[in-house]
């Protein structure tokens, strides 16, 4: 079986203090590559709880990590609802939490999930099949302005007007239902030398929108801090500047929450830091980027819960 190749594995294992940690949550389990490395590095009595909103990922990771017995468990769910999922299992606190955002290579390559312009499939893009809106609904039913906003904001694409105009004129004639239909429409509207990059940006923007990825991330971060023990670590790997900005701003805010005017001699607002930022932004080495193409955009941030 071909699995997703995880990025920054050594760095994740070190950041999560695996030699002493007894309980770690991997909230983006995927194919379980990071979880596998964590289980290998942790003590024999330490456990990992995996979570993913994609039920196919849960099944694959469960089969892959079955050999770890009760040291590994997996639950299906959105990390935006982290606290309610773990409360249902009776888990009150953990030593570390990992979120490796985005999609796995397997999701990307599975045509029926509709994430990729390289494979032909239904224009779906939902990581969780219970979500109401598919990318097909978005492409065919949102207004021209709404579509333009999504592609501009989540794809950071410049040729938005041409792309959206082409989509709208096509959908007046017939509904856009497949990834290759959408890819052909986008390609017909843009400069050919930019085609692959623009296609990647359009598909990424629709994926982020369909799965409400940034909303889930915003909901997840404060819940993750609540779930950590004192001195527990939160490690986030992001692949997109918007995700990374949300993480960076959250860490800064939690590390320095004081709202007192700068000229006050001492803090009177009473807001105490809940996190300490650990080290600088971590990027993959040149060698890793050479080996794993998707690693080139990975950025890892680490924070530690401050003693209450
Ligand atoms: C980059 S992959 C993780 C790969 C994993 N680290 C590994 O080693 O195989 C991201 C995973 O996160 C999941 N995911 C993305 N957003 C999620 C969310 N809001 N809640 C739960 N899982 C999510 C995706 O379904 C995907 O399986």
């Amino acid at each position: 079986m071909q699995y997703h190749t995880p990025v920054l594995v050594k760095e994740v294992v070190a950041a999560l203090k695996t030699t002493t940690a007894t309980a770690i949550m991997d909230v983006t389990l995927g194919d379980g590559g990071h979880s596998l490395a964590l289980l290998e590095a942790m003590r024999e009595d330490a456990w990992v709880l995996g979570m993913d909103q994609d039920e196919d990922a849960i099944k694959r990771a469960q089969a892959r990590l079955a050999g770890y017995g009760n040291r590994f468990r997996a639950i299906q769910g959105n990390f935006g609802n982290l606290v309610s999922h773990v409360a249902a299992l009776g888990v009150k606190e953990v030593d570390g939490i990992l979120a490796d955002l985005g999609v796995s290579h397997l999701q990307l390559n599975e045509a029926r999930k509709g994430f990729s312009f390289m494979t032909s499939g239904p224009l779906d893009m939902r990581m969780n099949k219970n979500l109401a809106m598919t990318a097909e609904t978005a492409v065919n039913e949102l207004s021209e302005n709404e579509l333009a906003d999504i592609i501009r904001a989540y794809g950071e694409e410049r040729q938005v007007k041409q792309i959206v105009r082409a989509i709208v004129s096509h959908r007046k004639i017939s509904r856009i239902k497949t990834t290759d239909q959408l890819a052909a429409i986008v390609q017909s509207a843009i400069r050919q030398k930019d085609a692959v990059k623009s296609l990647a940006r359009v598909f990424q923007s629709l994926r982020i929108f369909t799965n409400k990825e940034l909303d889930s991330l915003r909901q997840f971060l404060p819940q993750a801090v609540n779930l950590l023990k004192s001195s527990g670590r939160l490690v986030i790997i992001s692949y997109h500047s918007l995700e990374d900005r949300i993480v960076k701003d959250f860490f800064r805010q939690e590390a320095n929450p004081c709202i007192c005017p700068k000229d006050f001699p001492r803090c009177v607002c009473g807001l105490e830091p809940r996190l300490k930022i650990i080290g600088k932004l971590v990027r993959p080495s040149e060698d890793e980027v050479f080996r794993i193409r998707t690693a080139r955009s990975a950025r890892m941030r680490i924070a530690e819960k401050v003693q209450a």
Side-chain angles (χ1 to χ4, degrees), residues 28-34 52-53 77-79 100-103 107 127:
T28 49
L29 181 61
D31 282 344
H34 280 119
D52 203 294
Q53 60 180 336
N78 188 315
F79 58 58
D100 174 25
L101 304 172
V103 277
Q107 285 171 321
M127 292 185 206

Side-chain angles (χ1 to χ4, degrees), residues 115-164:
F115 286 116
S116 172
F117 59 90
M118 311 275 269
T119 54
S120 167
L123 200 49
D124 188 320
M125 297 202 190
R126 290 170 303 168
M127 292 185 206
N128 173 356
K129 291 288 166 235
N130 297 323
L131 287 179
M133 187 183 272
T134 62
E136 179 188 327
T137 318
V139 163
N140 289 285
E141 296 175 22
L142 293 180
S143 73
E144 188 165 341
N145 284 343
E146 285 169 328
L147 265 184
D149 287 347
I150 289 166
I151 296 172
R152 198 175 291 115
Y154 302 151
E156 294 173 330
E157 167 61 34
R158 288 201 205 99
Q159 301 178 71
V160 176
K161 277 197 185 134
Q162 301 92 300
I163 292 170
V164 173

Side-chain angles (χ1 to χ4, degrees), residues 228-231 272-274 305-308:
L228 281 176
K229 291 180 190 166
S230 286
S231 305
E272 300 280 348
R274 293 205 306 158
K305 186 157 175 179
V306 171
Q307 207 87 24

Side-chain angles (χ1 to χ4, degrees), residues 24-263:
I24 290 182
M25 265 207 87
D26 176 356
V27 298
T28 49
L29 181 61
D31 282 344
H34 280 119
S35 284
L36 174 67
L38 293 170
L39 285 160
E40 283 296 307
M42 289 163 81
R43 294 189 329 229
E44 295 269 301
D45 58 343
W47 52 263
V48 170
L49 174 59
M51 173 186 244
D52 203 294
Q53 60 180 336
D54 182 340
E55 64 176 328
D56 296 335
I58 296 284
K59 283 185 200 144
R60 271 198 309 271
Q62 271 172 333
R64 186 181 188 187
L65 301 176
Y68 290 93
N70 59 12
R71 291 187 60 207
F72 174 74
R73 274 187 298 175
I75 46 169
Q76 189 191 354
N78 188 315
F79 58 58
N81 305 318
L82 179 69
V83 165
S84 60
H85 285 296
V86 294
L89 294 177
V91 174
K92 295 206 173 61
E93 50 181 19
V94 292
D95 300 287
I97 300 176
L98 168 67
D100 174 25
L101 304 172
V103 277
S104 71
H105 305 163
L106 260 91
Q107 285 171 321
L108 267 181
N109 293 332
E110 212 172 328
R112 73 185 164 89
K113 293 201 187 279
F115 286 116
S116 172
F117 59 90
M118 311 275 269
T119 54
S120 167
L123 200 49
D124 188 320
M125 297 202 190
R126 290 170 303 168
M127 292 185 206
N128 173 356
K129 291 288 166 235
N130 297 323
L131 287 179
M133 187 183 272
T134 62
E136 179 188 327
T137 318
V139 163
N140 289 285
E141 296 175 22
L142 293 180
S143 73
E144 188 165 341
N145 284 343
E146 285 169 328
L147 265 184
D149 287 347
I150 289 166
I151 296 172
R152 198 175 291 115
Y154 302 151
E156 294 173 330
E157 167 61 34
R158 288 201 205 99
Q159 301 178 71
V160 176
K161 277 197 185 134
Q162 301 92 300
I163 292 170
V164 173
R165 229 178 277 138
I167 290 175
V168 170
S169 67
H170 191 285
R171 74 188 192 187
K172 278 185 191 146
I173 303 162
S174 67
R175 195 169 170 90
I176 304 164
K177 290 185 174 166
T178 63
T179 51
D180 35 4
Q181 265 180 309
L182 178 63
I185 294 164
V186 172
Q187 248 176 314
S188 71
I190 54 173
R191 291 186 292 272
Q192 288 317 295
K193 71 176 177 57
D194 304 329
V196 172
K197 281 190 182 151
S198 291
L199 281 167
R201 293 188 194 118
V202 171
F203 274 67
Q204 169 186 277
S205 65
L206 289 169
R207 190 202 81 212
I208 291 177
F209 173 77
T210 303
N211 294 288
K212 299 189 171 63
E213 292 182 24
L214 303 184
D215 291 343
S216 296
L217 179 59
R218 286 191 197 94
Q219 288 156 4
F220 158 73
L221 290 167
Q223 296 180 59
V225 179
N226 291 341
L227 189 62
L228 281 176
K229 291 180 190 166
S230 286
S231 305
R233 293 264 176 103
L234 176 57
V235 174
I236 316 273
I237 304 173
S238 55
Y239 297 86
H240 186 281
S241 57
L242 291 174
E243 289 168 346
D244 185 53
R245 202 171 310 142
I246 292 170
V247 177
K248 182 173 78 178
D249 290 349
F250 178 80
F251 280 11
R252 281 192 182 158
Q253 172 63 29
E254 292 289 337
N256 189 8
C258 175
I259 50 167
C260 294
K262 293 246 180 314
D263 55 352

Side-chain angles (χ1 to χ4, degrees), residues 7 283-298:
V7 301
R283 306 289 303 257
S285 64
E286 272 179 33
D287 175 54
E288 181 161 18
V289 172
F290 182 74
R291 283 185 293 109
I292 313 172
R293 213 173 48 83
T294 48
R296 71 186 180 284
S297 47

